[in-house]
Amino acid sequence: MLRYLKSNVKVVQSLSPAVRTGTVESTAVQVSGYSSVLLVVSIGVLGGGAVAFKAQESANNTDWTDIDSGRLIGAFVAGVASTVQAVGISEVGGLLKNYIRVVATVTGGTGVGMAVDVVLGEPKTVPVGVSESVYIC
């Protein structure tokens, strides 16, 4: 049986592509209603500097805590020019809080080109973006 991926995932741009300096927080993404999350970081030029990433979660979109590396599926590594890093998060349907974001710390150089997308999967209601009352199985 053919399944359409588009109906089962939602991609949210959390940080638009641009050259960044200092500490940068991506826009928070609400994850309630989904059972899996994939954080996708795209890195362009490094501009002579370095960049490190971490994932954070929040119950209220105000108070943020780092997500323990033991809950990550994969790991963020030191940024390399022209690469993509994808890291999943476990316990999305259980212990993950309502919001998620990526924090990037750029050191040295003239800035790092980057973007962050969040892929939400396994929605509680499919297809994504259609209410249950409209979708008939």
Side-chain angles (χ1 to χ4, degrees):
M1 178 172 150
L2 180 63
R3 292 184 174 218
Y4 296 101
L5 185 60
K6 183 182 183 309
S7 298
N8 292 293
V9 297
K10 179 179 180 182
V11 180
V12 180
Q13 185 179 63
S14 185
L15 185 66
S16 60
V19 174
R20 312 284 179 166
T21 58
T23 299
V24 181
E25 299 167 346
S26 71
T27 302
V29 175
Q30 188 170 14
V31 298
S32 57
Y34 295 88
S35 296
S36 63
V37 173
L38 182 67
L39 305 172
V40 181
V41 176
S42 301
I43 304 167
V45 293
L46 292 178
V51 61
F53 301 98
K54 65 181 177 180
Q56 291 187 325
E57 63 185 349
S58 173
N60 57 14
N61 199 15
T62 301
D63 303 311
W64 292 90
T65 56
D66 294 349
I67 297 176
D68 182 81
S69 62
R71 290 183 46 214
L72 299 179
I73 303 166
F76 287 118
V77 296
V80 176
S82 303
T83 60
V84 175
Q85 296 187 32
V87 174
I89 300 174
S90 64
E91 301 173 0
V92 173
L95 301 178
L96 189 73
K97 297 179 175 134
N98 293 327
Y99 299 92
I100 193 161
R101 71 179 180 188
V102 172
V103 177
T105 303
V106 178
T107 54
T110 58
V112 173
M114 70 178 86
V116 176
D117 294 309
V118 177
V119 181
L120 304 171
E122 301 178 55
K124 294 179 182 174
T125 303
V126 292
V128 172
V130 177
S131 71
E132 288 179 293
S133 60
V134 174
Y135 186 66
I136 300 172
C137 298

